[in-house]
Amino acid sequence: MRTLYDRNQADVSEAKSGRTDLIFLIRFRHCCLLRNQRCILAYLYDRLLRIRALRWEYGSVLPNTIQFHMSAEEVEWFSRYKKSLATYMRSVGGEEGLDLTQDIKPPKSLYIEVRCLRDYGEFEIDDGTTILLKKNSQHFLPRWKCEQLIRQGVLEHILS
Amino acid sequence: GWRAEGRLQSPAQVHSLSLRLLYLYFHGKDNFWFFSFMQGSKLEVPLWLAKGLHDSKRRIISVELPKIYKEAWRTVFSADANVVDLHKMGPYYYGFGSQLLNFDNPENPEIAQTILQTFISRFRRIMDSSQNAYNEDTSALVARLDELERALFRAGQKGLNDFQCWEKGQASQITASSLVQNYGKRKFTDVDC
């Protein structure tokens, strides 16, 4: 793009000093520049939309494998989006705020049956007890504790 | 290359007019080649370029309509739009047709009308088929649809599938994020929660 731009700049000054036959060439290069810009913007915007979706679908901490593929600006954007969302969530639903990323599907019960899809390790629940999440173990756990792990693919929600 | 990126619209035919010489630089690998085109020569260019070079006084180019938007085909559409394979006829019939209206063609009102009527005639079938095909192979249903119609079909299918899911009592089931499902094949070794 820089090459196109530089050549155009050179030709613009030539065109101004009389070479009107260059005008169309300049216009052509300009069309190419605009087209390239549109493509780049579309691509970057699509990435941003996916990154935003990650906050909702996956959680507030992205796995390293994903972060590795994000540019510094995208990481910065994600962090600011998280903050913005957190501020908003705190401001609704009374004193404690409301976690909008929970219960995205309407819950039918407080406790759910889950199966562990891979070895995760120890997991502490609200009453202080710890559970060992080993691959293929099944547990009956509070929905709000599991939701994130299910979304992350650690657990599987089993319907009875 | 300059035809490479993104979704390529079917090319518009372009005449270059009223110029003695039009120099075009084509970018190829590391070199710039240039071609000069005599007045009146005909080329195929991507739509975005034709739009950029077009102006109402036709000083640079005039655009010829692709055949599917011309009178002969318009008659076919008005006879029975449902029989036309819009996927074969350049898969962006509606989008591209709408963009063609930018070129001040005297047939624009007819073109616009045909595009609209075509959509109206075909829409009903798309809606019905997308709402009734549950858990089956839909490739025959979408084969002759253009991309806009396929997107509509997919939206209809999604609605149907979501409803069936709800009917089966699965609407409350939490599922893994699509990201995880896609990356499941690669090693997802770190879980740093």
Side-chain angles (χ1 to χ4, degrees), chain A residues 16-29:
Chain A
K16 279 192 194 156
S17 47
R19 285 197 61 192
T20 51
D21 60 319
L22 288 177
I23 287 180
F24 304 110
L25 176 57
I26 292 169
R27 190 152 168 179
F28 169 77
R29 286 204 200 98

Side-chain angles (χ1 to χ4, degrees), chain A residues 7 24-25 27-28 31 35 38-39 54 57 63-66 105-106 108 118 120 143 150-152 157, chain B residues 5 19 22 25 32 48-49 52 54 60 171-180 183 188 190-191 193:
Chain A
R7 288 191 184 211
F24 304 110
L25 176 57
R27 190 152 168 179
F28 169 77
C31 288
R35 159 76 172 186
R38 273 201 307 278
C39 292
L54 282 175
E57 281 185 48
N64 279 340
T65 45
I66 302 289
K105 298 198 177 163
K108 286 284 191 266
R118 58 171 191 262
Y120 180 74
R143 187 188 177 97
I150 297 172
R151 284 216 281 265
Q152 289 169 355
H157 182 183
Chain B
E5 54 278 320
L19 289 178
L22 171 66
Y25 280 69
F32 282 95
W48 58 267
L49 183 59
H54 171 83
I60 307 178
S172 59
Q173 183 181 32
I174 312 173
T175 48
S177 93
S178 50
L179 170 81
V180 170
Y183 278 15
F188 221 29
D190 23 17
V191 181
C193 308

Side-chain angles (χ1 to χ4, degrees), chain A residues 98-112:
Chain A
L98 181 63
D99 186 351
L100 292 169
T101 64
Q102 265 201 356
D103 291 332
I104 296 220
K105 298 198 177 163
K108 286 284 191 266
S109 56
L110 288 177
Y111 279 69
I112 55 174

Side-chain angles (χ1 to χ4, degrees), chain B residues 48-76:
Chain B
W48 58 267
L49 183 59
K51 260 178 90 170
L53 293 179
H54 171 83
D55 64 356
S56 49
K57 298 201 203 99
R58 313 260 178 112
R59 284 173 304 172
I60 307 178
I61 58 165
S62 74
V63 176
E64 183 181 310
L65 298 173
K67 66 174 197 275
I68 195 181
Y69 300 98
K70 286 196 187 157
E71 170 128 32
W73 268 100
R74 294 205 300 265
T75 317
V76 172

Side-chain angles (χ1 to χ4, degrees), chain B residues 1 7 21 23 29-31 46-48 53-55 57 75 87 91 112 125 144 146 149 157 193:
Chain B
R7 309 187 311 183
L21 285 171
Y23 292 94
K29 300 221 189 333
D30 298 321
N31 303 313
L47 178 74
W48 58 267
L53 293 179
H54 171 83
D55 64 356
K57 298 201 203 99
T75 317
H87 184 74
R125 209 176 269 198
R144 291 145 67 89
D146 102 320
E149 294 171 334
Q157 287 270 282
C193 308

